[in-house]
Amino acid sequence: MPYSLVIFDLDGTLADSFPWFLRTINDVADRFGFRRVADEDIEPLRHASSRDILTRLEVPLWKLPAIARHARRLKAEAAAEISLFAGVETMLRTLTENGVQLALVTSDSEANAREKLGEAAALFAHYDCSASLFGKAAKFRRVVRRAGLEPSKVIAIGDEVRDIEAARAVGIACGAVSWGYAAPAALRALAPDHMFAQMEEIAEVVCRIQQSA
């Protein structure tokens, strides 16, 4: 089935921010009064859903907006520490050269996202940023409507369980990458339409589908 639009997540999908997250999470925990993350907690949390993570870390839902705002400020300050994964710009350019529109839906701010993407930021036709933890479905729906496409022409690609859940809620295809925040096994358990083990596979899959249409 041909895809005319790919909606990307940023952190853990295009940007290698997990090391920064691990360095930062306990300072945020101390500031907002939730459980610190011990080394032995990391792998189990990578297998958990977003709601399970909040429960395990004892994060009250009402604190999420303030935590998100604080995290965006910290990311802006640490921009130089967070780079794109190898091959991202080549992959994005291959998609656009094959007529595929690009969109970015992320919990980060648009300013932070554009700074991380650098020159590749200009390749994106649509931005819908500062998504809440469970607010991606609404943003996916808005991007699809703005692009003027049928949901069947759209795929969302991310690195977390909630990315798959949001795509399914909107009725678009979902792709999951194995190099991000969630453990690959946790993503495979949800049977995404595509599972990507290497960056170049994204363009290979999407562009092959495009060319066969």
Side-chain angles (χ1 to χ4, degrees):
M1 183 173 293
Y3 299 126
S4 300
L5 172 67
V6 181
I7 304 175
F8 282 103
D9 170 59
L10 180 61
D11 289 304
T13 303
L14 302 179
D16 187 10
S17 58
F18 194 47
W20 168 84
F21 172 82
L22 293 178
R23 291 194 299 272
T24 307
I25 184 62
N26 284 333
D27 289 339
V28 178
D30 292 344
R31 181 184 180 96
F32 289 95
F34 59 87
R35 276 192 54 223
R36 292 171 65 89
V37 177
D39 288 346
E40 60 269 23
D41 295 329
I42 295 170
E43 194 58 25
L45 290 174
R46 294 185 70 223
H47 286 265
S49 70
S50 297
R51 292 186 188 280
D52 287 341
I53 291 170
L54 295 179
T55 298
R56 294 184 191 192
L57 298 185
E58 301 173 5
V59 182
L61 290 177
W62 65 268
K63 287 188 178 182
L64 288 179
I67 293 170
R69 287 193 297 271
H70 182 65
R72 286 192 283 269
R73 285 196 296 272
L74 293 178
K75 279 184 191 172
E77 294 168 2
E81 301 175 35
I82 302 172
S83 59
L84 298 180
F85 286 107
V88 164
E89 187 164 351
T90 297
M91 178 271 294
L92 296 175
R93 290 192 183 282
T94 300
L95 292 177
T96 57
E97 287 166 3
N98 280 271
V100 180
Q101 289 188 66
L102 306 182
L104 191 76
V105 172
T106 175
S107 58
D108 208 347
S109 68
E110 183 171 338
N112 284 357
R114 286 182 177 275
E115 183 167 3
K116 287 180 195 172
L117 289 168
E119 292 183 0
L123 299 173
F124 285 80
H126 308 281
Y127 284 84
D128 209 326
C129 300
S130 301
S132 65
L133 188 62
F134 301 109
K136 279 197 167 181
K139 288 185 177 288
F140 285 174
R141 193 173 290 112
R142 188 159 55 200
V143 167
V144 173
R145 186 170 59 246
R146 194 182 303 149
L149 295 169
E150 293 295 322
S152 62
K153 301 287 187 183
V154 183
I155 182 170
I157 298 177
D159 68 307
E160 295 184 69
V161 166
R162 65 191 177 107
D163 296 318
I164 297 173
E165 293 172 341
R168 292 212 165 121
V170 178
I172 61 178
C174 51
V177 304
S178 63
W179 52 80
Y181 282 58
L187 299 170
R188 280 195 294 268
L190 295 180
D193 297 287
H194 301 283
M195 189 80 197
F196 301 106
Q198 296 180 322
M199 188 66 66
E200 57 266 27
E201 291 176 3
I202 296 175
E204 289 172 1
V205 167
V206 174
C207 292
R208 183 173 65 243
I209 294 171
Q210 278 287 117
Q211 291 160 7
S212 67

